[in-house]
Amino acid sequence: MKKTLLTLFISALIFSSCNETSTEKGADPNQEFDIVILNGRVMDPETNFDAVRNVGIKDGIISLITEDEIKGKETIDAKDHVVAPGFIDGHQHTIEPYIYRIMLRDGRTTLLDLEVGGFGPEIDKFYEQREGNAPVNYGVAVAHELARGAVLDEFKDWKRYYTLDAAGVRSGKEGWSKTRPNLEQANEILKIMDEGLRKGGLGIGSTVGYMREGVSSREIFELQKLAGAYGRQIGMHFRLTPGSDVQETLGIQEMLANASALGTPAIALHFNNPGYNLVYELLLRMQEKGENVWGEIYPYAAGSTALNAVFLEPEVWVKTLGNKYEETLQDVETGEFYTQESREEMLKKEPTRLVLVYKSKEEWIVNWMKMKGVAIGSDGMPFIPDDGLTWETPYEDFPNTHPRQAGSFAKVLRLARENNIPLMQAVSMTSYNYANPLGKMGLKAMQVRGRLQEGMVADITIFNPETVTDNSTYAKGTLPSTGIPHVIVNGIIVMRDSEPIKRFDAGQPIRFEVEEKGHFEPLSVENWEKAFYASPADFSGAGLK
């Protein structure tokens, strides 16, 4: 009898735990929340939770997800809408007030520049400039390109402390791109990078594809070793991007081989190029072995860059890759395609002028949407110059740019709808697939974002899955997305009914804690030889037991 009663008691406990509701686990549903989101389809890509629920937000945190009725100081009716984790753009080169409204219209709650990044010694100034001045979260990696410009060209004219300063570096001397540093210079470059990592930079960003003549394989290896000393990633625009399927894959394998040997995280930035299918398989196989490596794409066949990019030189773009300027190189502002002669003329006037570069096939885009674990990074380009542009600048008054700046995330959701791709896959690509690997490397801010769960930070994007769409085009690249009416950042409503709200107190810095001491140890030939050479006194073996 006692045994029977004990069995029934244990069974009851198991049954009650299996049927425990979110209300029982979460906050008191009878309290008044700061914000409540009612009747929305709550989707969490980490747990695959997908159901209609009410969400209660308190003190910037998702406090309750429940079927119960709840009340709040502010209410959002999300009927027929998806309540998703806020969209994370890990590859955004414009983290400025004038772009935030377009970003919110596309559902983005976090902007990170992980490809170029910021100048190491001034990383703290990047964050200071944006503190209290952004309705979205912000952060940067440490810039390889800018460190090379400082050492090899003695560039000192820092103003924005990240990508926008690259325009100055690139328009002057060519040391940053074409000079192989000596050992002393290499140590100085690495020392600059180390200072940025010490100050909380999100890893290292390297645009080696723009510096392929000047950057050795050893330099890339040492960058990844340095990032690894902090447990952080490197994100690369690869050495041979853009290139053929063979070149693209080889360029990415350089980074992946280093990551595997060093046991360090790495991002395959915008690998939506020829050879992408092999790169994707490499990433998956490395992930299966426990490597923290991942990739990102943007959903467009054309890229965008500066006119003076080294890979657009005739020797590479025309002779090696077999492209024609008249078919593949388009001026962003005028819409006209370049010839070799018109390109040379424009280089004399405006070397960093933005162009569209047609390098992939349109039919590949839907394939990219199906790749599990892959993140979305827009690679949104800054407006150069951006004088006079502010939060209030009308969308139609912006200079033209690549449509990925305005429409990348809505386009992913639209393509998923039109091609019967599971919506949870698209939601993962827009949020969790960046947050998860960044969180794995110890970035606390990303361990509590990219998820729609109780206890997570209330970065939330609400969209209509039936109507969400991108409107930007190559001809008009700044038209805002539609079908995303509400956005919440750190528990603050920053867009309601598709009207962005100037809540510059909402955005928070995404960075590591500042460390007291750096990790860099200067390189020397002597130390390398001691570590890797063996020099026994007698190679014959005599006297050895």
Side-chain angles (χ1 to χ4, degrees):
M1 181 65 177
K2 289 182 179 179
K3 186 176 181 180
T4 303
L5 288 173
L6 179 62
T7 301
L8 289 172
F9 179 67
I10 292 172
S11 299
L13 282 177
I14 292 172
F15 179 82
S16 64
S17 65
C18 289
N19 287 275
E20 185 176 23
T21 67
S22 58
T23 299
E24 291 170 328
K25 290 189 297 183
D28 178 6
N30 297 312
Q31 69 175 292
E32 183 181 48
F33 294 92
D34 296 329
I35 303 170
V36 294
I37 304 169
L38 304 179
N39 310 310
R41 179 182 173 184
V42 174
M43 299 186 72
D44 176 54
E46 183 171 60
T47 63
N48 282 316
F49 181 84
D50 184 354
V52 174
R53 291 289 187 272
N54 299 322
V55 178
I57 297 168
K58 186 79 171 179
D59 298 327
I61 302 297
I62 300 170
S63 297
L64 184 64
I65 300 174
T66 181
E67 295 179 84
D68 292 344
E69 292 184 8
I70 54 176
K71 296 180 180 180
K73 298 173 184 175
E74 296 190 80
T75 300
I76 295 174
D77 185 0
K79 185 179 180 181
D80 298 326
H81 286 65
V82 169
V83 181
F87 299 164
I88 297 169
D89 187 351
H91 191 159
Q92 173 56 243
H93 296 302
T94 313
I95 307 177
E96 301 293 323
Y98 67 80
I99 210 67
Y100 294 148
R101 288 166 60 241
I102 285 180
M103 297 295 95
L104 292 174
R105 289 291 299 270
D106 204 41
R108 299 179 226 183
T109 59
T110 298
L111 307 180
L112 308 175
D113 183 354
L114 300 182
E115 184 197 44
V116 176
F119 182 55
E122 309 290 1
I123 285 286
D124 49 352
K125 292 184 180 178
F126 166 87
Y127 285 102
E128 288 169 8
Q129 278 188 347
R130 285 149 191 84
E131 184 177 0
N133 197 33
V136 294
N137 305 310
Y138 48 89
V140 287
V142 184
H144 180 207
E145 177 179 323
L146 302 188
R148 284 178 60 89
V151 173
L152 302 175
D153 292 326
E154 299 183 347
F155 185 85
K156 299 177 182 178
D157 191 19
W158 310 109
K159 295 176 181 176
R160 304 294 182 87
Y161 310 113
Y162 74 118
T163 291
L164 288 170
D165 286 327
V169 171
R170 294 184 184 187
S171 63
K173 302 176 183 178
E174 295 185 326
W176 67 275
S177 175
K178 297 183 177 181
T179 297
R180 284 282 189 100
N182 58 35
L183 185 56
E184 181 181 358
Q185 291 170 325
N187 276 326
E188 186 60 28
I189 291 169
L190 291 169
K191 184 179 178 182
I192 287 173
M193 306 294 289
D194 182 66
E195 181 64 2
L197 292 167
R198 185 189 72 78
K199 289 186 173 183
L202 301 176
I204 286 176
S206 177
T207 50
V208 62
Y210 292 83
M211 307 180 289
R212 51 188 80 180
E213 290 182 39
V215 176
S216 67
S217 295
R218 165 61 66 178
E219 186 170 335
I220 292 296
F221 182 79
E222 295 298 337
L223 288 177
Q224 291 184 246
K225 186 194 297 182
L226 178 61
Y230 289 83
R232 300 177 201 172
Q233 54 80 30
I234 190 169
M236 288 174 55
H237 176 122
F238 300 102
R239 183 182 298 280
L240 300 175
T241 296
S244 66
D245 56 346
V246 173
Q247 293 168 327
E248 290 278 350
T249 304
L250 287 174
I252 295 177
Q253 284 176 319
E254 175 182 29
M255 181 193 76
L256 294 181
N258 292 341
S260 182
L262 294 165
T264 57
I267 316 171
L269 294 173
H270 54 51
F271 75 96
N272 42 295
N273 295 306
Y276 71 86
N277 43 15
L278 177 54
V279 173
Y280 176 52
E281 183 175 346
L282 288 170
L283 291 169
L284 287 182
R285 290 180 179 273
M286 290 182 70
Q287 289 169 3
E288 289 169 0
K289 295 179 182 296
E291 304 276 2
N292 190 14
V293 295
W294 72 102
E296 59 150 55
I297 61 95
Y298 52 79
Y300 296 89
S304 184
T305 189
L307 187 63
N308 65 347
V310 294
F311 48 77
L312 293 179
E313 291 299 316
E315 291 75 14
V316 178
W317 194 248
V318 178
K319 294 181 181 179
T320 301
L321 296 178
N323 295 311
K324 296 180 180 179
Y325 288 127
E326 295 84 351
E327 298 174 355
T328 60
L329 192 64
Q330 186 179 22
D331 190 274
V332 167
E333 183 177 339
T334 67
E336 296 180 0
F337 281 84
Y338 282 94
T339 64
Q340 184 169 331
E341 293 74 21
S342 64
R343 177 178 179 270
E344 290 174 357
E345 291 175 7
M346 184 59 73
L347 284 173
K348 297 174 184 177
K349 304 174 186 176
E350 194 175 337
T352 58
R353 189 176 178 88
L354 288 181
V355 292
L356 297 173
V357 182
Y358 292 86
K359 57 187 176 58
S360 298
K361 297 180 179 179
E362 286 286 339
E363 56 264 32
W364 293 351
I365 299 174
V366 174
N367 293 337
W368 302 335
M369 299 298 99
K370 299 174 183 178
M371 297 189 296
K372 61 182 181 181
V374 172
I376 299 301
S378 69
D379 199 5
M381 300 296 288
F383 302 146
I384 302 174
D386 60 0
D387 299 338
L389 300 179
T390 68
W391 166 272
E392 289 80 14
T393 301
Y395 303 119
E396 58 271 18
D397 288 350
F398 284 130
N400 196 33
T401 189
H402 192 297
R404 65 193 183 190
Q405 178 70 290
S408 288
F409 288 75
K411 185 172 183 179
V412 168
L413 298 170
R414 174 177 64 80
L415 289 174
R417 178 177 69 242
E418 294 174 352
N419 294 280
N420 296 315
I421 296 169
L423 184 56
M424 189 66 83
Q425 161 71 2
V427 170
S428 296
M429 295 185 81
T430 61
S431 57
Y432 180 69
N433 291 356
Y434 240 125
N436 183 43
L438 288 173
K440 282 182 179 178
M441 70 182 200
L443 185 57
K444 294 178 181 178
M446 285 295 127
Q447 295 170 351
V448 291
R449 289 180 169 84
R451 302 155 175 90
L452 213 300
Q453 302 169 22
E454 292 174 354
M456 296 293 148
V457 169
D459 285 356
I460 298 173
T461 297
I462 300 173
F463 65 90
N464 186 325
E466 300 301 321
T467 64
V468 60
T469 191
D470 54 306
N471 297 300
S472 57
T473 64
Y474 292 118
K476 294 183 178 180
T478 61
L479 296 177
S481 300
T482 48
I484 305 175
H486 313 297
V487 175
I488 297 170
V489 176
N490 293 297
I492 297 173
I493 298 174
V494 294
M495 185 167 74
R496 186 187 277 275
D497 297 323
S498 298
E499 285 295 329
I501 302 168
K502 195 174 183 179
R503 286 299 303 267
F504 279 11
D505 56 332
Q508 296 296 317
I510 307 296
R511 68 189 296 187
F512 285 93
E513 293 182 6
V514 177
E515 299 190 20
E516 191 172 322
K517 185 179 179 182
H519 294 201
F520 174 58
E521 296 180 4
L523 308 178
S524 74
V525 174
E526 293 77 12
N527 287 342
W528 191 91
E529 291 177 344
K530 288 177 182 178
F532 295 102
Y533 282 166
S535 302
D538 188 345
F539 284 92
S540 69
L544 299 178
K545 296 181 180 180

